[in-house]
Amino acid sequence: MKTITLYNGVQVPQLGLGVFKAAQGEETEDAVKWALEAGYRHIDTAAVYGNERSVGKAVRESGIPREDVFITAKVWNSDIRAGRAEDAFFRTLDNLQTDYVDLYLLHWPVEGKEYAWSQLEDLYVQKRIRAIGVSNFHPQHLEELMEQARIKPMVDQLESHPLMNNQELIDYLQANEIAVGAWSPLGGPQLPLLQHPVLLELAEKYHRTPAQIVLRWDIQRNIFVIPKSTHRERIISNSEIFDFELAEEDMERIRSLDRNFRVGPDPDNFNF
Ligand code: A2P
């Protein structure tokens, strides 16, 4: 598995399984189990997904040593606003039944993010978290955070797929040594992205699925990517992206599909 090295030296497996909207219980447990069997070593969850217990259970039951699985978790907005990021973190540890998290993120840039960040910094210094970061932060949110921060975020996780590639933001983050993760890399459940004629054409050219083409494009953009699926065949096929390479002109073709078309909330204008 290829990795992205964060500025503190921690390595993030470039492919992770996303479990947003996977139900607590069998659905999440099976998805995580199938992913680990297929070679994934990175699982991305969040308090608000309500499935941390199932993620923890599946990782434990896999028999794979804890230190070989990279677990990302996120503190939810209500806890950030209420100044309870530390409590939220220990609740997450209890749900996951583990004693550390690999990557812990502020889920959205809400009021109280600066204090929440200071709590994450303390937990990082105490080695309860191997890397700390943010999600859905634009440059101005990062600047606000950095006015008081002691430690620069190591990661920003954001929406990115061919119709909303967010490349300008990604370039900014990478220039500042902040690693980037893409959520909804396949455009989420609603968007018919995987039927786009250009992706179908490239799928035929490389003898791959459109999803594999998109995920490979992400790998070659040097970001990590967390496609969600609860179907075994898709989980497996989404992982088969490390044995081929897209030509530069095809990278560019996918890049040119950008329409600034969001499938998720806008970090500059959301109400939750
Ligand atoms: P499912 O869980 O039913 O497989 P995202 O872009 O947010 O990661 O979402 C991916 C969406 O696309 C999910 O709804 C998932 O649904 C579906 N999906 C995941 N992998 C594939 C694939 N290889 N082909 C088609 N659909 C996929």
Side-chain angles (χ1 to χ4, degrees), residues 183-189 194 209 211-212 226-231 234-235 237-238:
W183 58 258
S184 273
L186 303 174
L194 299 178
T209 68
Q212 289 169 334
I226 48 165
K228 178 257 170 183
S229 181
T230 48
H231 291 93
R234 289 176 176 172
I235 290 170
S237 93
N238 289 349

Side-chain angles (χ1 to χ4, degrees), residues 1-5 10-17 39-43 67-72 102 130 219 223-226 242:
M1 174 71 68
K2 283 184 66 184
T3 58
I4 299 273
T5 303
V10 165
Q11 297 198 327
V12 185
Q14 248 188 309
L15 174 70
L17 178 76
Y40 291 63
R41 289 295 179 269
H42 174 175
I43 311 293
E67 60 273 20
D68 290 350
V69 183
F70 190 96
I71 300 179
T72 300
D102 295 277
R130 294 178 63 223
I219 299 300
I223 64 179
F224 64 86
V225 65
I226 48 165
F242 295 101

Side-chain angles (χ1 to χ4, degrees), residues 89-90 93 99-101 123-130:
F89 174 74
F90 283 106
L93 282 191
D99 53 8
Y100 72 96
V101 159
L123 291 162
Y124 173 73
V125 170
Q126 294 156 22
K127 300 200 187 310
R128 305 310 298 254
I129 311 175
R130 294 178 63 223

Side-chain angles (χ1 to χ4, degrees), residues 91-105:
R91 216 161 46 233
T92 284
L93 282 191
D94 187 52
N95 284 338
L96 291 166
Q97 288 289 302
T98 182
D99 53 8
Y100 72 96
V101 159
D102 295 277
L103 175 63
Y104 197 53
L105 308 177

Side-chain angles (χ1 to χ4, degrees), residues 19 61 72 192 197:
V19 293
E61 288 180 355
T72 300

Side-chain angles (χ1 to χ4, degrees), residues 199-213:
L199 296 179
L200 290 173
E201 193 189 315
L202 291 173
E204 201 170 296
K205 173 174 171 185
Y206 288 91
H207 307 290
R208 297 283 165 158
T209 68
Q212 289 169 334
I213 297 292

